[in-house]
Amino acid sequence: MYKIVEMVRTSWQIARSYKMNLVFSILALFFTTIPFYLVAHAMQPMMGDVVKHEGGDYFGFVLLGLIAISLLTTALTAVYQSVSGSISSGWLEAQLGTSTSMPVLLVGMSAYQFLWTFLRVAVLFLYGWTLGVHVHWSGIALGFAVLLLLCVAYFGLGLVLAAMYLAFRTIGPLQSVIVTGSVLLGGVYYPTTVIPSWIQSLSVVVPMTYGLRATRRLVLDGAPWSAVQTDIGMIAVIAVLMLMLGIAAFQLSFDHARRRGTLSMY
Amino acid sequence: MISTTEIPFVTPTPLTQRTTAIACSGLVKSFPIRRGWREALRAPFTTRWQLVTDHLSCDIAQGELFGLLGPNGAGKSTLMRMLATAVLPDAGTATVHGADVVADARAVRDMMGVVAANERAVLWRISARDNLRYFAALLGLRGAARTRRIEEVLELVELADTGEKMVGEFSSGMRQRLLIARALLGSPRVLLLDEPTRSLDPISARQFRRFITRLIREDTKCTVLLATHSTDEAMELCDRIGVLDRGRLLAVGKPADLGAELTRNSFRAWLGPDAEAALDRLVARGVVVSWSPTAGMEELFREFAVEVTEGHQGAAELVRALVAAGVDVARVERVPVSAADIIERVLATSDRRGESADV
């Protein structure tokens, strides 16, 4: 654990050295939320009824969607970005020269990005609350746990992306496909019930669908555990499957890279 | 495989009684050859392979500084990376203090410090001390022991005063020393140095060599495998040199022995007037194999390149015969050899004979 703590500490040191980037990253949180706030309020009369099972407040609905997208993006790209960046500088191979295991390295290399994202979404959530989102605080802990499961599911896919990069030095359009698919089919800006039925059937394989729906019902609607247990069960199963898939893909790709000698070749 | 004794100019240097630190046996590694679009489209499912190490065998003793010399693509870095467990061999075995690089990779990493050719493999935005702190954590060092070890290696590489400086502001030489410090953090028993002076100017490279000599000989006394293009570096630093080409270890020996073997019969002689006729007569008698005048001149003595038959004995006979013929002899000395000559000669001979050394 202390290795991961030290890796996070170092990542923070590096991030801190880019002062303006850090400042803009925080400011962007506040400024990018304003348009969503205004548009959501304008659309409230139209969308209020549509999202009534998930709190009924369209701004709150979108806010949790934005939070889920932030977490998805980090879970999906953190490992891939760390791996791609450290391959080109030889840094990955240098770290692999130590006796630290690969899982610890992968978690340590991406942990800071997760912590930073959690901090940012916490600030975003509190900001939304001050702007009038009605929050059922009793559902916060379970809602957070569901979002963590969502992160695990997309972290598994992130490992697949990193594996692709290790093997082929590109991830092709996979990242865009996953993000776009999750946004369109997972109910980020609208509930999945409003999308055409033939596409709706696709949303059952999107982890975002279950994770986001459960979180919204817990946090915005105050739903009890029994009302969301099916969604939570689904996201838990998907998370385990995705993680196993990701680990297997990364291990295969890593062994392939060691055979081909491409761990530090750009 | 053919033993070194079959290559005429190589003096096999036994490992004496010391413990073996690195043992490679029949290491084979091939990499796929990159193809152009046309070839890839024509035969998308075929792969052509390039042999990078070809049944490479060698033993390196504990505490030895072993140099790997060879042209680009000889297989030096691949051998290093196989020993560092970053590349898996296709066949053969390699052990470091008895631990197999494939089966006991973690144990090997615990014993090894690696300085790769890529000096960009540092964290540029933080200080040298913080870079080492990060790596020390990965090596499992904690608390006061970690702090103490970081200060020790910073002292060793003479970066203690600049330890708080951001690495991005370091010169190439300082970065190289930082990489050495990083490799020494875990008190390794084996140190792999892959072209450590590649990006250094000649003065920095010379300082670096002095530093390495002091570090290895006096301070750490660990086993070192040094891959280099710099023949001077290998000659100056190494206990033994291995000449590698196209994945084959062609010759191994002490730098001085290799040089002496190579130039065994080549001498330069500074001779007085009428030496040409005397040399011709000695060729006819078989004392001299060949001779040629060079551009050198010292006072009245002209310089000649002379090839004799029996090394120093042949040279002695040459002097006797020249004096007997009335030729003034000012000086006779063996031709000094550069390591580039060694490589060239080894490669040329191996091309003719198709051999590899088994050390």
Side-chain angles (χ1 to χ4, degrees):
Chain A
M1 186 63 187
Y2 75 97
K3 290 184 180 181
I4 293 172
V5 170
E6 191 58 42
M7 292 171 91
V8 169
R9 180 188 161 280
T10 304
S11 298
W12 164 241
Q13 275 185 304
I14 293 168
R16 212 175 48 184
S17 74
Y18 293 99
K19 296 180 186 66
M20 288 309 288
N21 188 47
L22 200 67
V23 170
F24 282 132
S25 173
I26 294 165
L27 288 179
L29 270 185
F30 296 99
F31 288 110
T32 53
T33 311
I34 296 292
F36 284 103
Y37 172 75
L38 296 173
V39 171
H41 269 267
M43 294 179 71
Q44 177 63 30
M46 193 167 47
M47 296 298 290
D49 198 42
V50 177
V51 299
K52 65 182 176 195
H53 296 301
E54 292 171 57
D57 171 21
Y58 187 55
F59 177 56
F61 181 94
V62 171
L63 186 76
L64 282 189
L66 292 175
I67 285 172
I69 281 293
S70 286
L71 293 172
L72 174 155
T73 309
T74 298
L76 198 59
T77 60
V79 175
Y80 149 65
Q81 284 176 351
S82 298
V83 166
S84 61
S86 57
I87 282 178
S88 56
S89 63
W91 182 239
L92 181 67
E93 194 170 298
Q95 291 179 99
L96 289 170
T98 67
S99 53
T100 301
S101 67
M102 178 55 86
V104 171
L105 275 182
L106 290 179
V107 171
M109 284 163 73
S110 52
Y112 170 77
Q113 291 187 60
F114 275 103
L115 289 177
W116 181 237
T117 304
F118 284 135
L119 182 68
R120 290 177 75 236
V121 298
V123 170
L124 189 62
F125 184 74
L126 291 173
Y127 184 48
W129 178 59
T130 60
L131 287 174
V133 171
H134 182 66
V135 177
H136 287 267
W137 294 102
S138 59
I140 282 288
L142 193 53
F144 182 68
V146 173
L147 287 177
L148 282 182
L149 282 175
L150 195 64
C151 282
V152 172
Y154 281 99
F155 185 74
L157 286 174
L159 286 175
V160 174
L161 293 191
M164 275 189 72
Y165 188 84
L166 260 182
F168 308 116
R169 291 296 181 271
T170 178
I171 56 167
L174 201 57
Q175 184 187 341
S176 308
V177 168
I178 293 170
V179 173
T180 309
S182 297
V183 170
L184 293 178
L185 302 171
V188 171
Y189 299 117
Y190 41 79
T192 52
T193 50
V194 304
I195 56 181
S197 57
W198 62 275
I199 304 179
Q200 219 177 89
S201 56
L202 289 176
S203 69
V204 298
V205 295
V206 177
M208 183 69 92
T209 307
Y210 306 102
L212 199 44
R213 188 165 56 206
T215 308
R216 280 172 178 151
R217 296 196 69 189
L218 286 163
V219 176
L220 302 177
D221 206 35
W225 153 260
S226 57
V228 294
Q229 60 185 2
T230 309
D231 280 342
I232 293 177
M234 283 301 292
I235 188 68
V237 169
I238 291 174
V240 170
L241 291 177
M242 294 287 190
L243 192 60
M244 285 166 61
L245 172 73
I247 290 170
F250 193 86
Q251 190 60 55
L252 274 175
S253 179
F254 180 64
D255 289 344
H256 173 81
R258 280 180 78 199
R259 279 194 301 275
R260 294 289 178 103
T262 54
L263 276 177
S264 65
M265 192 186 288
Y266 20 96
Chain B
M1 267 176 293
I2 295 164
S3 81
T4 46
T5 50
E6 292 179 56
I7 298 178
F9 51 83
V10 172
T11 305
T13 311
L15 283 173
T16 68
Q17 301 304 311
R18 286 188 290 178
T19 315
T20 301
I22 299 173
C24 303
S25 174
L27 274 184
V28 178
K29 186 69 208 172
S30 298
F31 290 132
I33 297 170
R34 290 188 175 277
R35 301 181 300 167
W37 272 100
R38 185 179 295 177
E39 199 182 339
L41 289 172
R42 199 182 302 149
F45 301 110
T46 56
T47 307
R48 289 193 296 123
W49 299 84
Q50 183 182 6
L51 194 59
V52 185
T53 59
D54 183 3
H55 295 91
L56 198 149
S57 300
C58 66
D59 284 339
I60 298 169
Q62 189 175 338
E64 186 176 18
L65 208 161
F66 190 93
L68 276 176
L69 269 177
N72 280 328
K76 302 186 297 291
S77 294
T78 301
L79 174 60
M80 290 273 191
R81 293 176 70 208
M82 281 195 280
L83 291 172
T85 76
V87 171
L88 294 170
D90 296 335
T93 58
T95 58
V96 177
H97 286 288
D100 188 273
V101 296
V102 178
D104 306 318
R106 210 161 168 171
V108 171
R109 289 184 209 131
D110 267 339
M111 285 186 271
M112 194 169 280
V114 182
V115 179
N118 192 345
E119 64 158 86
R120 295 190 307 138
V122 288
L123 296 169
W124 295 73
R125 301 285 297 187
I126 58 175
S127 70
R129 201 166 262 116
D130 283 328
N131 262 275
L132 294 177
R133 186 186 155 117
Y134 180 94
F135 244 78
L138 294 187
L139 290 167
L141 295 169
R142 307 176 73 163
R146 175 171 70 179
T147 309
R148 192 171 53 245
R149 185 63 189 150
I150 289 171
E151 293 312 314
E152 279 172 9
V153 294
L154 280 173
E155 284 286 340
L156 264 180
V157 300
E158 297 165 6
L159 284 178
D161 294 341
T162 44
E164 287 305 312
K165 196 174 174 181
M166 198 165 80
V167 172
E169 295 169 359
F170 273 21
S171 67
S172 292
M174 289 166 81
R175 269 200 300 280
Q176 205 63 265
R177 277 187 279 159
L178 174 62
L179 291 177
I180 295 269
R182 194 174 75 186
L184 293 174
L185 260 180
S187 308
R189 297 170 72 185
V190 173
L191 192 60
L192 304 183
L193 301 174
D194 193 0
E195 298 180 38
T197 55
R198 186 170 68 162
S199 56
L200 302 184
D201 61 70
I203 293 171
S204 302
R206 192 171 60 186
Q207 285 174 345
F208 184 81
R209 285 199 286 271
R210 282 182 192 151
F211 161 73
I212 285 289
T213 308
R214 180 175 60 76
L215 186 73
I216 306 305
R217 299 274 181 245
E218 296 161 24
D219 295 331
T220 64
K221 295 185 174 62
C222 59
T223 308
V224 179
L225 180 58
L226 168 77
T228 180
H229 282 300
S230 167
T231 49
D232 296 337
E233 191 166 277
M235 296 292 265
E236 185 181 327
L237 289 177
C238 298
D239 298 318
R240 287 192 303 160
I241 293 173
V243 180
L244 200 62
D245 183 50
R246 282 170 284 178
R248 293 174 302 153
L249 195 56
L250 300 177
V252 175
K254 289 179 180 170
D257 288 347
L258 282 175
E261 292 282 353
L262 177 60
T263 58
R264 195 165 172 262
N265 297 323
S266 299
F267 287 83
R268 286 190 304 198
W270 281 260
L271 308 175
D274 302 327
E276 289 90 341
L279 286 169
D280 278 338
R281 285 196 295 277
L282 292 177
V283 170
R285 278 173 51 194
V287 174
V288 169
V289 175
S290 65
W291 66 272
S292 59
T294 68
M297 194 83 187
E298 281 183 12
E299 295 177 357
L300 296 174
F301 295 92
R302 191 168 176 197
E303 184 186 337
F304 293 86
V306 185
E307 190 85 8
V308 297
T309 52
E310 292 293 328
H312 277 114
Q313 276 192 334
E317 193 176 340
L318 168 73
V319 173
R320 274 197 301 273
L322 286 168
V323 170
V327 177
D328 293 334
V329 181
R331 183 152 55 107
V332 176
E333 66 180 31
R334 182 175 256 162
V335 173
V337 65
S338 74
D341 294 333
I342 293 178
I343 294 181
E344 224 168 57
R345 174 73 179 264
V346 169
L347 298 189
T349 309
S350 73
D351 279 346
R352 285 199 302 273
R353 298 166 60 98
E355 289 171 349
S356 66
D358 189 9
V359 190

